[in-house]
């Protein structure tokens, strides 16, 4: 397979799992730390090995997120710079380095610990039952992505933030426009910058919610964020609003993809589906295997502070590395028969939640389905 510089960022290729994994296997074999210069993106090193991604992720003082953390086209980067003077519309955990990263992560850390989530379990279970009932009532056919996989996590996160149920439709529309701007079903009809417009509407919504929670704190995540202190001073408004929006991001790119991808993997592997039905105690391993096999978060970026040698390649100070999680999670050096979907897999050390100081803060919640 010939692999061009543009292939590594081609959305069409990422939508074709078979071709994607053929490309990633070849990159792992032939050039696992590959200099890549796509036509409409700033250049980067593409990392495809599990060990290399972990090596970068664990060294958060040598590889920063502040200068660049997500793959954006040059055009999108310029629009963001024009609006903010920086490289991100919002100030969220994935865009912060220490010392700020640690301070802001501490604001919600307690909320996402398994102990705190335990208290929510009955409400989460009731919500899950609503969607199981919906599937049962659909008599054999349902648009699973539109009706279940996006909605269920959206409502879970709304419940955790403390948002009223009636705002669901609006949240669904706005978060869709912000995080899946190219989806023709939900794209915003505008001549302007669709992402920034949806972001501004979300900010206006959360501004009211946070003001209310400052006056009337409750036992919800919005109250925790609204009343947080950073260096003994109240959290800044922009950071508090960004925090709420970034928590909503967890629905679109991650949990919805994992749920839908998991159902897809089970349907494409009917013998695994049968096995799960006959041995429900395999559900925990199934969740981990779905996370590994689907790897819903595709990439994150780090920027080298100093020159760094990785697998014999010299990454120069200021250059970016793109960590391709679906590749790490099919690395044949780590996973036996790595392309197979196997719900009995043991020692499943996938990094679908990332690794190191930025590891997903919501991982216990995401795993709460098991
Ligand atoms: C299947 C579901 C999920 C997957 C696969 C996933 C994956 C990830 C990944 C790969 C990262 C980046 C880690 C890194 O840079 O090393 C991340 C970060 C993050 N995730 Fe998740 N996530 C999921 C669900 C959630 C949920 C449910 C929430 C919260 C409600 C959440 C909130 C966050 C936040 C706030 C960060 C930024 C952490 C930081 O930079 O310190 N995620 N997630």
């Amino acid at each position: 397979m010939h692999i061009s510089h543009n292939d590594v960022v081609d959305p069409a290729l990422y939508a074709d799992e078979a071709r994607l994994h053929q490309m990633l296997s070849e990159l792992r074999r032939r050039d696992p730390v590959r200099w890549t210069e796509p036509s409409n993106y700033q250049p980067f090193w593409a990392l495809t090995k599990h060990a290399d991604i972990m090596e970068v992720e664990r060294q958060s003082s040598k590889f920063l997120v502040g200068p660049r953390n997500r793959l954006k086209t040059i055009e999108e980067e310029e629009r963001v710079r024009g609006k903010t003077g920086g490289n991100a519309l919002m100030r969220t955990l994935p865009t912060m380095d220490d010392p700020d990263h640690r301070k802001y992560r501490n604001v919600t850390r307690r909320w996402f610990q398994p102990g705190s989530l335990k208290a929510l379990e009955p409400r989460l279970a009731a919500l899950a039952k609503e969607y199981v009932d919906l599937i049962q009532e659909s008599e054999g056919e349902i648009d699973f992505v539109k009706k279940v996989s996006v909605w269920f996590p959206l409502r879970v996160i709304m419940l955790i933030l403390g948002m009223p149920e009636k705002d669901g439709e609006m949240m669904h529309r706005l978060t869709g426009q912000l995080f899946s701007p190219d989806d023709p079903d939900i794209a915003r009809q505008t001549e302007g910058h669709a992402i920034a417009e949806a972001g501004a509407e979300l900010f206006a919504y959360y501004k009211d919610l946070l003001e209310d929670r400052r006056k009337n704190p409750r036992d919800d995540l919005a109250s925790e964020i609204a009343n947080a202190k950073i260096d003994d001073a109240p959290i800044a408004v922009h950071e508090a609003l960004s925090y709420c929006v970034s928590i909503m991001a967890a629905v679109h790119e991650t949990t919805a993809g994992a749920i839908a991808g998991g159902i897809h993997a089970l349907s494409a592997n009917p013998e695994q589906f049968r096995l799960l039905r006959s041995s429900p105690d395999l559900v925990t391993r199934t969740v981990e295997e779905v996370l590994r096999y689907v790897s819903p978060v595709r990439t994150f970026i780090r920027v080298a502070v100093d020159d760094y040698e990785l697998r014999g390649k010299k990454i120069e100070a200021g250059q970016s590395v793109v960590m391709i999680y679906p590749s790490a999670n099919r690395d044949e050096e780590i996973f036996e028969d790595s392309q197979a979907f196997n719900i009995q897999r043991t020692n499943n050390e996938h990094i679908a939640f990332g690794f190191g100081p930025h590891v997903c803060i919501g991982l216990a919640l995401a795993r709460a389905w098991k």
Side-chain angles (χ1 to χ4, degrees):
M1 181 185 189
H2 170 74
I3 302 170
S4 74
H5 287 266
N6 284 339
D7 284 340
V8 182
V9 292
D10 179 7
L13 206 145
Y14 277 78
D16 179 342
E17 289 279 303
R19 276 184 64 221
L20 172 68
H21 282 292
Q22 191 188 354
M23 173 184 83
L24 296 174
S25 303
E26 292 212 23
L27 284 176
R28 285 194 299 277
R29 192 163 46 81
R30 295 201 325 239
D31 197 1
V33 179
R34 190 198 214 208
W35 183 244
T36 310
E37 294 180 346
S39 47
N40 53 345
Y41 290 79
Q42 302 287 356
F44 55 82
W45 294 95
L47 307 190
T48 45
K49 295 287 286 178
H50 191 280
D52 296 348
I53 294 177
M54 284 179 66
E55 182 172 333
V56 165
E57 291 233 66
R58 74 161 59 87
Q59 303 185 75
S60 61
S61 57
K62 293 190 176 162
F63 290 94
L64 303 182
V65 293
R68 188 183 182 196
N69 83 319
R70 300 307 305 262
L71 261 179
K72 292 192 202 91
T73 59
I74 292 173
E75 192 193 352
E76 182 61 19
E77 282 184 349
E78 280 167 3
R79 288 178 108 160
V80 170
R81 201 162 302 117
K83 276 217 155 55
T84 64
N87 38 38
L89 285 173
M90 294 176 215
R91 263 202 98 217
T92 58
L93 290 178
T95 68
M96 290 180 189
D97 294 297
D98 276 342
D100 281 2
H101 177 253
R102 191 170 314 133
K103 293 176 195 164
Y104 282 86
R105 198 165 156 117
N106 278 341
V107 169
T108 56
R109 204 167 48 99
R110 183 187 69 83
W111 254 90
F112 288 110
Q113 278 166 355
S116 316
L117 296 173
K118 195 119 198 90
L120 286 171
E121 251 174 41
R123 292 170 76 195
L124 298 184
L127 213 46
K129 185 167 181 311
E130 244 185 70
Y131 287 92
V132 173
D133 289 348
L134 184 74
I135 295 168
Q136 262 173 352
E137 284 154 19
S138 68
E139 292 173 3
E141 198 174 307
I142 188 166
D143 186 335
F144 188 81
V145 172
K146 284 196 180 139
K147 296 259 163 51
V148 182
S149 71
V150 173
W151 271 104
F152 173 56
L154 181 82
R155 289 193 53 206
V156 168
I157 290 180
M158 286 180 65
L159 185 150
I160 288 176
L161 275 164
M163 295 157 61
E165 224 179 289
K166 68 168 175 54
D167 296 340
E169 288 289 347
M170 181 194 54
M171 271 302 130
H172 181 252
R173 176 174 55 82
L174 289 177
T175 51
Q177 289 170 353
L178 192 65
F179 302 115
S180 316
D182 301 323
D183 181 337
D185 286 348
I186 41 179
R188 203 176 169 90
Q189 305 304 321
T190 175
E191 296 290 303
H193 188 192
I195 297 180
E197 285 178 15
E201 258 192 77
L202 279 166
F203 264 31
Y205 175 88
Y206 284 117
K207 195 161 177 290
D208 291 345
L209 184 75
L210 294 179
E211 264 167 25
D212 175 69
R213 294 307 194 275
R214 268 189 282 274
K215 288 188 211 125
N216 314 299
R218 300 188 202 165
D219 190 18
D220 60 28
L221 190 61
S223 303
E224 196 81 30
I225 295 172
N227 298 294
K229 293 254 163 55
I230 302 288
D231 293 334
D232 295 327
I235 187 170
V237 174
H238 181 75
E239 275 74 357
L241 297 173
S242 301
Y243 220 126
C244 294
V245 176
S246 75
I247 297 287
M248 295 307 294
V251 176
H252 276 263
E253 270 185 280
T254 63
T255 323
I259 298 174
I263 290 294
H264 186 255
L266 285 165
S267 335
N269 296 274
E271 79 298 343
Q272 296 288 304
F273 212 160
R274 273 194 296 277
L275 183 61
L276 177 60
R277 280 184 155 149
S278 61
S279 317
D281 54 320
L282 281 174
V283 75
T284 304
R285 282 193 201 163
T286 304
V287 168
E288 297 308 318
E289 181 64 346
V290 163
L291 288 163
R292 181 192 77 86
Y293 191 78
V294 176
S295 284
V297 174
R298 299 309 172 120
T299 58
F300 264 110
I301 300 184
R302 300 288 189 265
V303 176
V305 175
D306 300 311
D307 291 356
Y308 190 91
E309 196 178 307
L310 187 63
R311 225 174 261 274
K313 298 279 177 77
K314 186 177 157 204
I315 297 168
E316 289 176 18
Q319 287 182 335
S320 307
V321 296
V322 169
M323 308 179 292
I324 308 182
Y325 297 113
S327 176
N329 287 338
R330 301 263 181 124
D331 188 338
E332 21 310 269
E333 264 190 89
I334 307 289
F335 304 99
E336 206 185 312
D337 199 6
S338 68
Q339 301 293 344
F341 178 68
N342 173 10
I343 65 167
Q344 289 174 297
R345 193 178 289 281
T346 49
N347 303 322
N348 192 343
E349 292 181 357
H350 67 77
I351 48 171
F353 291 117
F355 183 73
H358 282 276
V359 71
C360 177
I361 203 168
L363 59 82
L365 175 63
R367 283 175 164 145
W369 341 316
K370 62 189 182 183

